[in-house]
């Protein structure tokens, strides 16, 4: 992870009261940060930092999009981001961010917000991400259909969504399953 001075705040230089900061996180920010969940996006961040005599409170508002992979077709897709975040910070003898209260080394007096902002965004992304019905890469969906088989009963229900269309249309294959594996036919892929 590259350090970017634009997101480092020197807490010692701030006067008591509320300070407002605005950041725009773009592809360059996410690429340099090299986080595991995503590396592209455009997110506007509004930060209100309140300094009291003994502590700091950071209140973030995030709004924008990040680019993630669709779990079905693996193509890029936009994931909306609209969330808030909060940090409590105080000075101490050495840096510690293992607890709910972040301790900043009093001698250094600075905090790098880059990773905290990334984490707030990453925590707002659902575990599963899928394109809307009909928007997945058709070629990939056809390949996926060849390798996934649902029970014959689900096929007969006639659901037209991409996930339901993944069912195999061969009832003969269903009957030829080795009895030792019969229990596995009840496993289903769910969104």
């Amino acid at each position: 992870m590259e350090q970017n001075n634009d997101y480092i705040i020197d807490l010692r230089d701030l006067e008591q009261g509320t300070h407002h900061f605005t950041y725009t996180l773009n592809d360059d920010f996410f690429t340099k940060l090299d986080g595991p969940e995503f590396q592209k996006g455009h997110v506007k961040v509004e930060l209100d930092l309140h300094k009291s005599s003994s502590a700091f409170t950071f209140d973030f508002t995030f709004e924008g999009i990040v680019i993630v992979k669709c779990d079905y077709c693996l193509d890029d897709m936009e994931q909306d981001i609209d969330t808030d975040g909060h940090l409590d910070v105080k000075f101490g003898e050495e840096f510690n961010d293992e607890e709910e209260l972040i301790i900043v080394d009093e001698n250094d007096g600075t905090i790098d917000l880059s990773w905290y902002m990334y984490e707030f965004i990453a925590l707002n992304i659902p575990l599963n991400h899928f394109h809307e019905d009909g928007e997945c890469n058709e070629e990939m969906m056809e390949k996926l259909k060849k390798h996934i088989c649902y029970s014959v009963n689900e096929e007969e229900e006639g659901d037209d969504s991409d996930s339901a269309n993944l069912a195999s249309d061969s009832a003969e294959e269903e009957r030829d399953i080795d009895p030792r594996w019969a229990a596995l036919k009840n496993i289903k892929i769910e969104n």
Side-chain angles (χ1 to χ4, degrees), residues 145-159:
K145 286 178 188 179
K146 292 178 184 177
H147 298 287
I148 293 182
C149 178
Y150 288 102
S151 71
V152 175
N153 293 340
E154 285 183 2
E155 290 176 39
E156 293 170 356
E157 291 175 11
D159 188 347

Side-chain angles (χ1 to χ4, degrees), residues 93-106:
E93 293 181 17
E94 63 181 51
F95 177 79
N96 182 352
D97 66 351
E98 299 297 319
E99 301 173 16
E100 290 185 24
L101 177 66
I102 296 169
I103 308 296
V104 171
D105 182 355
E106 200 164 2

